Structures are given as C-alpha cells and as structure tokens.
Amino acid sequence: MRTQNFARNLNWVWVLVLAAFFTACSQMDGIEPDSKSLEGKSDKLFRLNPFGNGLENAKTASSPISDGGITPDIIEGSNPGGNRTCDEVATAYSNADRTVTFSNSFDQINAVDFDENTATFGAITATTDGTYVSWTIDVPAGYCVKYVAAVVKGSNDANVYFYEGDVRSDSGLAPPMAGGSGDPAELSNLRFCYTLEPCEDEPCFEWKGETATGDGNRFANSSNWFMWNNYTTDPIKLIAGQNMEAGSIQMGPISNENITITITLDEGWRFKTVGETIVSDAVKVLAYLNPPTSFNGFGNDVRNIRYLRANFNGDVATITVPAAGSYFIHVDVEWEKEIECPVDED
C-alpha cells in the first residue's frame, strides 16, 4: 500500500516539473535579443559617412577623357544638383597616402557669365566652346603646381578632373554625357581649385665639348691619344676625352665600293652645336688604303682621302665613304656637365 502511494506521488512530481519547463519556454519565445529591430536601419548603422572624417569619397569613373589623358570622376557631394565644392574634391582624392588640400579655391562661374568664352580663376585661365573646356595656369617663378582640380558641371552632374604634379594645361574637359545621347552635356558652370608649392631645386648643366674617336689603335708617331680602326662590321665604342664612352660606331657592308658609317650617341651627349644647329663638320673621316702610322691633321694629311659630309638626325649621324682597309673617325661631341647653379642676385 505504501509502495503504491509513493509511486503515485512521484508521478505527480514529474507532471509539475514538465509543466514548469514548458511554461518557461513559452515565455522565452517572445523575447528578442534587443528591444530595437535592425530592419531597415542596417545601411545607416554600417554606412561610412564620407564627409569630414578624412575618408575617401566614393568616385565613379566618367568620360570624356581629356586631351591630356585624365579620366574624370563623378564624386559624391551634399548638393543634389551635382555642384561640388573644392573641399568635397579634396576629401574625394585624399587617402591614407595623400592628404589633398587646395590653397586656392574659387566659386563656380556660370557659363553664361564667361567673358568672350573666357573665365579666370586666380592664376588659371579657362576657355570654352560651350561644351569643352581648355585651361592653362600662369605659375610664378620658383613655384610648381602641386594639385589642380576642375569641376565641369552640365545638366545634373559634374565631372571632376584631378591633376597631381606640375601639370600646367589641358584641354578637352567636358561635363558628363547627357542621357543616352553619347555626347557631353552643355557646360552650365565651372570651378577650379589648385595648390602651388616651391619647386625643388633642380641641378644646372652646361654643354662641354670633347673630341671622340673609335676605340681602336693609337697613332704610333703622335703625341695625341686619337685612335684609328680597321674596317669591321662589329660595333665599335665611341670614346670621348680619352676615357668616356659617348656612343657607338657601326660600319656597314661594302656596297658599290662604298660603306656607310653610322654614329649613334648615348643619352646626355650631342654633336657639336652652335645655337640650335649641329656644325657641318662635326664628323670627319679619313680613309686609309694602308694602316696609318701617324696623324698630321686633316689639313696636312694629303696622302689620304678626307670626308666631311655627314647627315645628322638628332643623336645619329651617317656618312658614306669609299671602301678602305682602315679609317680614322673623328667626332666633335658635347656632354651635359653638372655645374653649380648661378645665384640670382635679384
């Protein structure tokens, strides 16, 4: 009897435990992890504000590309009509490696207010044909361009053309394309921003004259260092001032009892020049029937054949001479020598 009562009581305990468990679960079903729903708010919670925090603005590549090869961008801004300020442009083009600032910022000028299709923005002069824009900047002596930006507005958007470095002009700038026309919209207004900085000191050079000959055999009975060469189709070094390599000499194959000698100068060298003109006798050639034993000067060496007629094309000279066993190739050259820059007394 006692055993039956104990079993009956135990069953009632289990019933009460199960009832309490299901009641707790039903209450938890209505509890959310937060008292506020995130639905419809995720973009506001996680979208980065592009203004005033140094982050790079969103930029969308646009067209047309300028004549200088600059691809414009459409950038975000506070004005729904597409007008963009210089501060917004500076923010758009700043990043972790570069902070863009403009020391010269200008209000936009409406296209209808241009004076004979021309407007000025400080040192910048801009012209337009009603759609396309060209600009130049007049930089004071001692200064270089660091940044330039052009905000070219048409219809409801603006193209931003951004330049970094000492760029002083461009053309072919225009507003974004107008709808599906495939052509830029007409210019409605224009804005420029720019920053100048002192130019870094650049080295000064002057042209120093030297005599050059082919790297070969020295004249045995002569006090100078000049060298002559046997005929060969292998390249020959052009040596200036005894020990400087100034370029190369190439003798061509024999054709109709002649050969063509080509002299090519290395970068930093030029043929002797007066003003902007290469002197006509910068290349002289003596053709020897037999290997020479001495050099007595071009005017006195009557035993051999002298040639002065070379054709010049920049840093290359060619001269055609009769086929012979040996040649003395004499070249008047100049090289850029770095010098101390003169001091401007003004």
Side-chain angles (χ1 to χ4, degrees), residues 60-66 70-74 131-132 152 157-161 172-179 182-185:
T60 302
S62 183
S63 59
I65 298 173
S66 73
I70 301 299
T71 299
D73 295 304
I74 296 175
T131 300
Y132 290 92
V152 187
D157 243 325
N159 272 339
V160 177
Y161 292 83
L173 290 67
M177 298 300 170
D183 295 318

Side-chain angles (χ1 to χ4, degrees), residues 36 46 95 118 121 123 140 161 174 177 193 198 202 222 229 247-248 251 257 333:
K36 295 182 180 180
F46 299 109
N95 52 44
T118 302
F121 302 82
Y161 292 83
M177 298 300 170
C193 331
E202 296 183 359
S222 178
N229 303 96
S248 63
M251 299 184 190
E257 299 184 350
V333 294

Side-chain angles (χ1 to χ4, degrees), residues 11-53:
N11 290 336
W12 278 108
V13 170
W14 280 109
V15 169
L16 292 174
V17 171
L18 292 173
F21 174 78
F22 286 117
T23 300
C25 289
S26 64
Q27 291 176 349
M28 291 178 66
D29 288 342
I31 298 178
E32 294 184 359
D34 197 334
S35 59
K36 295 182 180 180
S37 172
L38 298 179
E39 184 178 357
K41 299 181 180 180
S42 60
D43 63 331
K44 293 182 180 179
L45 289 172
F46 299 109
R47 184 176 61 212
L48 296 175
N49 176 16
F51 302 110
N53 55 12

